[in-house]
Amino acid sequence: MGVGADTGGYESPVEQTVDRTLSRLRRIDSRPDPAVQAAPPVAEGGPLTLADLYRDHRMRLVRLAVLLVDEPATAEDVVQEAFAGLHRHWAGLRDEAAAVGYLRTAVVNGSRSVLRRRRTAREYVAPHQVNARSAESLAMLSAEHQAVVDALGTLPPRQREVLVLRYYGGLSEAEIAEAAGITRGTVKSTASRALDTVARVMAERSGGQ
C-alpha cells in the first residue's frame, strides 16, 4: 500500500520503486525458516500464548529492526527486549492485535534508542548498508532494489521508520502514527520528505556511476 493509497493520490515513480523493493523484501523474509521446527496451530478459541506470538512474529520483527538499525545482532537484541516488555505487560494484552501493536511500537522505540546511543559514541562507524542485510536476501534483489535499500540507509531515523513501516511492514497511516508516536499528518509529510530524499540520493549515485 503506497502513501497515495490512503489519500487516493498519485504514486510517484520513486514511491512505486520503494514499494516494489520493500514488498519484495517482505516476500523474501516471509518464507518459512527451515531451521525453526513447525509448531502445531493453536486450537480455534484456545488461549493465546507468548510462545505463539514469538513463533509467528519474531522473524518479521527482527527483519523490520534490521532495516531500522542495520545490524542483525542489534536487531535481535531490540526484538528480544520487545518480547521481554510484552511479558511484563502480558496480563493486559491477551488480544493478539494489541500484542502485535505493542511489539511493533517497542521495536521502533528500541531502534530509536540504539540510534541515539550510536550518535553519542564518537568511535561508532555505520556499517556498510549492503553488508548489513542478510546476504541471502540481498542476493535475491535486483541492482535497482539494492540501490533503494542503500538509499534508505541514508535517511534520518524518523524518515526511515515511516517508509519501512509503510512499505515493508505494510501498515496504514494510522498504524504508523500509533507505532511511531506521531500524528497521521506527520506521517504524510515525513513520508513525502523521505521519498524526495531517496529519489535525490538514487539520482546522484546513478549519475556518479
Side-chain angles (χ1 to χ4, degrees):
M1 182 188 303
V3 170
D6 276 342
T7 63
Y10 169 74
E11 287 191 0
S12 67
V14 68
E15 184 176 355
Q16 293 173 6
T17 300
V18 171
D19 194 354
R20 286 196 305 269
T21 296
L22 294 188
S23 294
R24 171 66 174 154
L25 273 176
R26 184 171 66 246
R27 289 192 296 272
I28 292 171
D29 288 345
S30 294
R31 295 171 304 172
D33 187 346
V36 177
Q37 184 177 3
V42 178
E44 187 173 352
L48 178 70
T49 69
L50 258 176
D52 299 328
L53 288 166
Y54 192 82
R55 182 190 67 239
D56 295 341
H57 298 284
R58 173 183 169 275
M59 285 311 301
R60 173 67 67 80
L61 290 167
V62 168
R63 285 153 176 164
L64 173 68
V66 167
L67 285 169
L68 296 175
V69 303
D70 300 322
E71 297 173 331
T74 302
E76 291 269 7
D77 291 342
V78 167
V79 172
Q80 288 297 113
E81 182 57 36
F83 274 100
L86 180 63
H87 176 69
R88 292 191 292 270
H89 294 84
W90 184 241
L93 286 169
R94 292 303 178 97
D95 176 75
E96 181 171 6
V100 172
Y102 175 93
L103 288 168
R104 277 198 305 255
T105 300
V107 167
V108 170
N109 288 337
S111 298
R112 287 178 183 170
S113 295
V114 167
L115 297 177
R116 281 196 297 269
R117 289 195 297 270
R118 285 180 183 173
R119 286 197 297 270
T120 62
R122 294 181 179 179
E123 70 278 9
Y124 176 75
V125 177
H128 191 278
Q129 298 300 324
V130 170
N131 292 330
R133 291 239 6 129
S134 72
E136 181 183 9
S137 292
L138 280 178
M140 300 180 72
L141 295 179
S142 67
E144 178 188 46
H145 289 341
Q146 291 188 28
V148 171
V149 173
D150 283 347
L152 286 173
T154 70
L155 294 175
R158 175 64 59 80
Q159 292 184 18
R160 196 198 310 197
E161 284 172 10
V162 168
L163 292 193
V164 168
L165 290 171
R166 170 57 67 114
Y167 299 108
Y168 183 83
L171 305 188
S172 67
E173 285 179 356
E175 289 170 327
I176 295 168
E178 180 180 2
I182 57 180
T183 67
R184 290 184 63 177
T186 301
V187 171
K188 291 181 181 180
S189 60
T190 302
S192 178
R193 290 194 299 273
L195 289 168
D196 287 345
T197 301
V198 168
R200 176 177 54 77
V201 170
M202 292 182 67
E204 289 173 351
R205 293 183 175 181
S206 176
Q209 292 172 358

